[in-house]
Amino acid sequence: MKLFALSDLHVGYAENRWAIERITPRPNDWLILAGDLGETEQHLLYVLDTLGPRFKQLVWTPGNHELYTMPSERGGPRGLRGQARYDRLVELCRSRGVITPEDPYVLWDGEGGPHVLAPMFLLYDYSFRPADVAERDAVAWAIESGVLCSDEELLDPAPYASRPAWCRARLAATEARLAAIEGHSTVLINHFPLREELVRLRQIPRFSIWCGTRRTHDWHTRFRARVVVSGHLHIPRTDWIDGVRFEEVSFGYPRQRPADRTADSCLREILPGPAAAAPLRT
């Protein structure tokens, strides 16, 4: 029994749906879905119903796109915003037997275990910015370079006053849960990267403010992570920091990858992981 991960499926694109439908069944293995599966409830259910029967267990954490309230939904029954929208997505996942950030953490006892799997929903607080840029000025600073994330229009933080305020609430709740884990190392799972140096966006460097929070920079060591899984950047890669493996597991938009790259080839093995791994921390 192995643990795989994939994120940023963006199934609003027909090319991505075609690729997802061709993922090889692995009925003995688990799959982490690390956010940005799509923008609507239908997108989420499409992914869960397509991949759920092909894996023993799915584990989900939301990205920013799942939390969008699209203009076509506003005012209708699917026009939920902020926390209410997140709660609805959790409900849909649970209806399909999918593990969410709101469920008790589970102990992975397959290959490479045992480790506690900790799916998280943390958001961002604009802190991935230069020291001389105040939080209140961060979005204007990004706009100066021609960059503006769709979150500013589509990701409503209600009932919180702002996305950073929602992020701070999520950080406090998640930190307490992780601190209560005893006796096991962990696999930390979040849509956004946990460390700023992992955000390498050469074309749009100021997009960094929508990519995480500095509050999580030491979580990989504080909470005994064996692996940290994230997406969001659409730059799949493996990094090692303090003996911990960081996996960015994005599939991404069709224009960002070669036409012959399959979703199967993008599945990242999280556990047991690569045979030639860096030495574990002691």
Side-chain angles (χ1 to χ4, degrees), residues 144-159:
E144 287 175 358
S145 69
V147 174
L148 179 62
C149 183
S150 297
D151 292 15
E152 296 298 318
E153 177 186 359
L154 300 177
L155 205 171
D156 192 315

Side-chain angles (χ1 to χ4, degrees), residues 87-109:
D87 291 343
R88 170 62 175 165
L89 299 179
V90 169
E91 177 186 325
L92 291 174
C93 286
R94 286 173 168 170
S95 75
R96 297 322 200 253
V98 177
I99 296 169
T100 80
E102 303 310 305
D103 295 313
Y105 296 149
V106 299
L107 184 65
W108 167 263
D109 59 2

Side-chain angles (χ1 to χ4, degrees), residues 66-147:
E66 276 100 338
L67 300 171
Y68 284 176
T69 304
M70 304 302 289
S72 61
E73 297 176 320
R74 292 172 186 170
R78 293 190 176 90
L80 297 174
R81 301 177 297 125
Q83 182 68 46
R85 186 172 187 85
Y86 173 61
D87 291 343
R88 170 62 175 165
L89 299 179
V90 169
E91 177 186 325
L92 291 174
C93 286
R94 286 173 168 170
S95 75
R96 297 322 200 253
V98 177
I99 296 169
T100 80
E102 303 310 305
D103 295 313
Y105 296 149
V106 299
L107 184 65
W108 167 263
D109 59 2
E111 294 185 53
H115 299 293
V116 172
L117 303 186
M120 305 181 295
F121 166 39
L122 299 179
L123 279 168
Y124 50 81
D125 59 5
Y126 304 144
S127 57
F128 288 0
R129 65 181 192 274
D132 61 347
V133 176
E135 179 183 313
R136 66 177 180 276
D137 299 325
V139 174
W141 170 77
I143 290 174
E144 287 175 358
S145 69
V147 174

Side-chain angles (χ1 to χ4, degrees), residues 2-244:
K2 295 184 177 182
L3 178 64
F4 291 91
L6 195 60
S7 75
D8 297 82
L9 303 184
H10 294 290
V11 297
Y13 289 89
E15 300 95 323
N16 284 17
R17 294 194 299 274
W18 187 91
I20 298 310
E21 290 168 0
R22 284 155 182 78
I23 286 181
T24 302
R26 293 170 170 83
N28 295 319
D29 300 328
W30 288 30
L31 176 64
I32 294 166
L33 295 168
D36 277 9
L37 309 186
E39 290 80 26
T40 67
E41 289 185 12
Q42 292 90 339
H43 289 163
L44 175 64
L45 291 175
Y46 166 80
V47 173
L48 301 185
D49 291 343
T50 300
L51 297 182
R54 305 184 190 200
F55 289 85
K56 185 174 183 178
Q57 178 67 56
L58 299 181
V59 180
W60 170 83
T61 192
N64 48 319
H65 281 242
E66 276 100 338
L67 300 171
Y68 284 176
T69 304
M70 304 302 289
S72 61
E73 297 176 320
R74 292 172 186 170
R78 293 190 176 90
L80 297 174
R81 301 177 297 125
Q83 182 68 46
R85 186 172 187 85
Y86 173 61
D87 291 343
R88 170 62 175 165
L89 299 179
V90 169
E91 177 186 325
L92 291 174
C93 286
R94 286 173 168 170
S95 75
R96 297 322 200 253
V98 177
I99 296 169
T100 80
E102 303 310 305
D103 295 313
Y105 296 149
V106 299
L107 184 65
W108 167 263
D109 59 2
E111 294 185 53
H115 299 293
V116 172
L117 303 186
M120 305 181 295
F121 166 39
L122 299 179
L123 279 168
Y124 50 81
D125 59 5
Y126 304 144
S127 57
F128 288 0
R129 65 181 192 274
D132 61 347
V133 176
E135 179 183 313
R136 66 177 180 276
D137 299 325
V139 174
W141 170 77
I143 290 174
E144 287 175 358
S145 69
V147 174
L148 179 62
C149 183
S150 297
D151 292 15
E152 296 298 318
E153 177 186 359
L154 300 177
L155 205 171
D156 192 315
Y160 297 92
S162 65
R163 282 169 292 279
W166 195 3
C167 176
R168 287 188 284 271
R170 295 298 311 184
L171 284 165
T174 305
E175 192 170 17
R177 289 186 66 193
L178 292 174
I181 297 172
E182 297 181 356
H184 291 287
S185 55
T186 63
V187 175
L188 300 181
I189 304 158
N190 191 49
H191 178 66
F192 303 95
L194 299 192
R195 292 181 63 92
E196 187 174 9
E197 71 265 38
L198 298 175
V199 182
R200 307 178 181 98
L201 302 172
R202 295 174 183 172
Q203 302 296 324
I204 48 171
R206 296 192 185 189
F207 190 82
S208 62
I209 63 170
W210 293 285
C211 292
T213 170
R214 291 179 179 173
R215 288 267 306 270
T216 59
H217 271 197
D218 66 346
W219 281 24
H220 64 296
T221 53
R222 282 182 61 199
F223 301 122
R224 304 177 303 282
R226 170 74 180 275
V227 190
V228 178
V229 178
S230 65
H232 190 59
L233 303 179
H234 295 196
I235 306 174
R237 60 178 292 145
T238 302
D239 289 276
W240 290 89
I241 302 173
D242 301 321
V244 178

